[in-house]
Amino acid sequence: YWHDASKTLFVLPDRQARIVPLTPSADFKTWSVGAPIALTGRTSLTWDGEGLTRIGDVFFAVTDETAPTVERFDLAGKRLDQVTIPARFASQQAGNKGLESITASPSGNYLFTANESALTTDGARATKSQGTKVRILRRELASGNDEERGYRTEPLGPGSASGDMGVSELAALSDTSLLVLERGYQSDYGNT
């Protein structure tokens, strides 16, 4: 998550319950690593840090892709609570393909998250001819109301028919528009 006011990029390691601040040089060619912010007060022993965003003085983090779990933390890293995610998001395809991303709208009114690959009820993983279908969840924070939209990724790339394609990150451009980052991998071709 990029915090423009402090010119700091906050990153969430996959295997350690902490947020690491990174500060760029003026030309963005080098980065300084700040003191990590330990995420404390968590009730779960499971950690699979995936996505991070911030609204005001609160961090929102996807802390377990498979559960799926989104937790809120204050700026010191103390857990405030957990954001309830619809239970259907736990029915992901095999291979750790649940919640992967999270972003907040610039207004701070909405939180968006998406699963990485199709839920078992929504279809198959990507093939050479068709992408996988994911769900984008938009939560209005004031009311707690949810809205879901289907999103189909690109099909697999030019390599073999075995591989994977999915959504790895979201960036909210407004309350209704998103930039979606897809990623793919095929062992005989590489990353796309």
Side-chain angles (χ1 to χ4, degrees):
Y1 167 79
W2 175 255
H3 186 249
D4 200 47
S6 65
K7 303 295 185 218
T8 302
L9 179 66
F10 292 95
V11 298
L12 189 68
D14 189 43
R15 303 205 189 281
Q16 299 169 336
R18 63 185 185 165
I19 297 171
V20 179
L22 303 173
T23 308
S25 61
D27 61 5
F28 284 87
K29 290 184 178 181
T30 60
W31 293 77
S32 299
V33 179
I37 303 166
L39 299 178
T40 61
R42 297 188 66 247
T43 56
S44 173
L45 298 178
T46 304
W47 176 263
D48 181 19
E50 295 295 345
L52 181 69
T53 194
R54 181 174 158 184
I55 299 175
D57 291 341
V58 176
F59 285 111
F60 291 81
V62 175
T63 59
D64 184 352
E65 180 175 6
T66 59
T69 307
V70 173
E71 294 179 282
R72 294 181 342 121
F73 300 90
D74 67 17
L75 295 182
K78 183 175 184 269
R79 183 182 186 274
L80 300 171
D81 57 19
Q82 183 170 318
V83 177
T84 304
I85 300 297
R88 67 185 146 274
F89 280 88
S91 66
Q92 75 262 350
Q93 298 285 346
N96 201 25
K97 302 296 178 195
L99 290 186
E100 185 79 11
S101 55
I102 194 164
T103 187
S105 63
S107 69
N109 294 329
Y110 293 92
L111 193 65
F112 296 87
T113 189
N115 48 305
E116 186 175 4
S117 186
L119 301 179
T120 54
T121 56
D122 291 338
R125 289 184 174 193
T127 65
K128 295 291 286 178
S129 61
Q130 184 170 296
T132 189
K133 186 172 135 187
V134 302
R135 291 176 185 240
I136 297 175
L137 173 71
R138 181 178 85 151
R139 164 83 43 89
E140 184 178 24
L141 292 172
S143 69
N145 292 334
D146 290 338
E147 182 179 358
E148 291 181 28
R149 292 282 191 247
Y151 174 88
R152 187 167 303 278
T153 68
E154 293 292 318
L156 292 174
S160 70
S162 65
D164 188 40
M165 176 64 81
V167 171
S168 60
E169 192 57 85
L170 300 171
L173 304 176
S174 71
D175 286 351
T176 58
S177 297
L178 293 171
L179 183 62
V180 179
L181 178 64
E182 298 178 20
R183 62 97 201 104
Y185 176 77
Q186 292 162 270
S187 60
D188 65 334
Y189 183 76
N191 294 303
T192 55

